[in-house]
Amino acid sequence: MSTVPPPDRSGDEPESTLSDEQLAAFLREAAEGGGGSAPKEPSARARMVARRLREEDEAARRAGPSGGRGGRRGDQAPPAPPGWRTGPSAPAGGSRKRVVGAVVGVLVLAALAVVAVRPSLVLPDGDGGAGQPTAAATAAAGNPADTGRATREHPFRGSPAAAWAEGSDGIEVPEAKALSGMSADDVAFALRRTKELLVAANLDPGVLRGERPDEALAVLDPKQPKLLSGLRRSLRDPDEEHDPLLLFTRFDPAEVRPAGDVVKVRGRMRATAGEPGVVKVGADYTFVYPLVRADDPDGPVARVIVRRELTLTLNDPAAWDVTEGRLLLEKYYAEHNNTDCGVDDGYLHPGFADDAPDGERPTGVAVDPYDTTVPLTPDGSCGRVTRT
């Protein structure tokens, strides 16, 4: 017996002989292109159920594949940025937070471009070749008119870094303003923590001697387990695939020691807005290290120039599953100048004026290590430098 009313009948629709579950199953099956013939159901009710199913499906798609992941404090979460994945939500009864720490392998883009030089391979000023610094780069780096040789008393003689600030004074923290729903105090905190990481990783005397960079590691969020475990592995047992020099500056104390107690620093730092609840801090700094041989402290001075670009983020712990007070390391690049190529022992090995050419021969183009107008790239090349 049909429950469909005659075409000319008006009034309320009769009760269905199918349950909502049965009709829902049919509609889903029909939408997928399967199933048998349609049950005899009133069109008004079919439209109502279909509309409800569409609303439920749309809500499920917004919630994510697991239906309860990716929310922010109960609000509908925006789409995850490229390279990021969401993770489990907070325990039942708590606010839902986006998870970022478990996917460090996706987040971190680490690259190393090593530029080695022996004195015989340095291009002289005025060479006019591909490695000749541009006028803009020279102006930005400083006037290299004083080309005298560096000594223990004057380790920066002949270097543009002679006019740079010393140590941590060269890492200036810019004025903070509110960004991405984070207060000015939050942004200022992110900037200060970035400076702490740069100082601990590149200026701490113990770290420069090869000691464990605990203060630098303490800046980073432990909810980036793959990152931290990888960094600790590189410090414990460095090799080509696990290189601590990607983030830390280290010299072998049995080989060299600092020529004085000054490292010259120049660069810039700025905070920008990420997605809601995320502040990004970008840093681009160059460090110049004068060194002497450990067994010849009165001998020649060599300078190693290290440039680092990195991006860290401060995420709102109310919206993200992060550790309050810690930063996430999103990407980092490094370029090391006047150090041996092809050595993977976790230390930088400077070239001195009286060294004989040895080690891996440079094959890349010549560069000016003081030219910061050129972005760092993950080419891993070994080339010549125009000056140190």
Side-chain angles (χ1 to χ4, degrees):
M1 176 178 174
S2 175
T3 60
V4 179
D8 59 348
R9 181 176 176 177
S10 61
D12 294 337
E13 296 286 344
E15 291 293 322
S16 170
T17 59
L18 292 179
S19 67
D20 282 358
E21 291 74 12
Q22 290 173 315
L23 182 58
F26 162 74
L27 290 172
R28 286 196 178 95
E29 194 173 19
E32 296 170 355
S37 60
K40 301 290 193 281
E41 284 293 324
S43 59
R45 181 167 176 269
R47 288 194 299 270
M48 176 188 70
V49 175
R51 183 172 59 254
R52 176 167 58 82
L53 289 173
R54 286 195 301 271
E55 292 171 351
E56 291 175 353
D57 290 343
E58 181 62 23
R61 283 193 296 271
R62 290 196 300 264
S66 59
R69 302 183 182 184
R72 296 170 59 248
R73 297 188 66 80
D75 296 334
Q76 182 176 316
W84 293 52
R85 293 181 292 178
T86 55
S89 61
S95 59
R96 296 173 181 174
K97 302 179 181 181
R98 299 184 67 183
V99 177
V100 298
V103 289
V104 147
V106 178
L107 295 178
V108 177
L109 305 173
L112 173 63
V114 179
V115 180
V117 59
R118 292 295 182 182
S120 61
L121 301 177
V122 178
L123 299 181
D125 290 339
D127 175 80
Q132 184 67 15
T134 64
T138 301
N143 184 3
D146 181 5
T147 57
R149 176 165 293 184
T151 65
R152 182 69 180 265
E153 293 74 23
H154 304 284
F156 298 99
R157 177 182 290 163
S159 167
W164 293 7
E166 298 182 2
S168 61
D169 290 342
I171 306 176
E172 297 183 359
V173 176
E175 183 179 356
K177 63 179 181 180
L179 293 168
S180 294
M182 307 279 274
S183 70
D185 288 343
D186 291 331
V187 176
F189 175 81
L191 292 166
R192 289 196 307 271
R193 290 293 269 171
T194 298
K195 177 174 180 174
E196 290 173 14
L197 174 63
L198 290 167
V199 170
N202 300 282
L203 296 174
D204 182 274
V207 174
L208 297 181
R209 292 193 299 267
E211 296 176 7
R212 184 181 172 88
D214 288 328
E215 291 187 15
L217 294 172
V219 174
L220 303 175
D221 196 326
K223 292 188 177 180
Q224 289 186 299
K226 291 184 179 179
L227 170 69
L228 289 177
S229 63
L231 291 174
R232 294 187 178 103
R233 161 68 168 79
S234 71
L235 292 162
R236 183 176 63 253
D237 188 18
D239 57 32
E240 184 177 2
E241 298 298 324
H242 304 86
D243 190 355
L245 299 177
L246 290 170
L247 191 60
F248 310 109
T249 303
R250 308 168 80 237
F251 300 97
D252 185 350
E255 179 186 5
V256 296
R257 65 180 60 179
D261 57 1
V262 173
V263 176
K264 293 287 189 168
V265 183
R266 171 176 283 187
R268 54 192 176 275
M269 181 192 310
R270 65 190 294 257
T272 58
E275 59 181 299
V278 179
V279 172
K280 293 177 178 284
V281 179
D284 183 349
Y285 283 88
T286 300
F287 304 84
V288 183
Y289 304 89
L291 302 136
V292 295
R293 293 189 181 95
D295 59 358
D296 188 16
D298 296 322
V301 173
R303 287 189 292 259
V304 171
I305 302 99
V306 176
R307 181 182 170 195
R308 298 193 183 278
E309 286 187 18
L310 61 155
T311 301
L312 298 110
T313 71
L314 178 68
N315 293 42
D316 183 358
W320 296 81
D321 185 14
V322 295
T323 304
E324 187 170 3
R326 302 293 186 94
L327 302 183
L328 299 169
L329 183 56
E330 183 174 285
K331 61 182 179 181
Y332 54 107
Y333 298 93
E335 181 181 84
H336 305 139
N337 302 276
N338 192 24
T339 181
D340 287 344
C341 293
V343 181
D344 302 308
D345 61 357
Y347 296 113
L348 296 169
H349 298 277
F352 288 86
D354 56 356
D355 282 341
D358 59 6
E360 182 180 334
R361 302 288 294 182
T363 57
V365 299
V367 300
D368 178 1
Y370 293 96
D371 181 3
T372 59
T373 64
V374 180
L376 295 184
T377 58
D379 58 8
S381 65
C382 179
R384 298 169 296 169
V385 295
T386 60
R387 52 182 174 171
T388 63

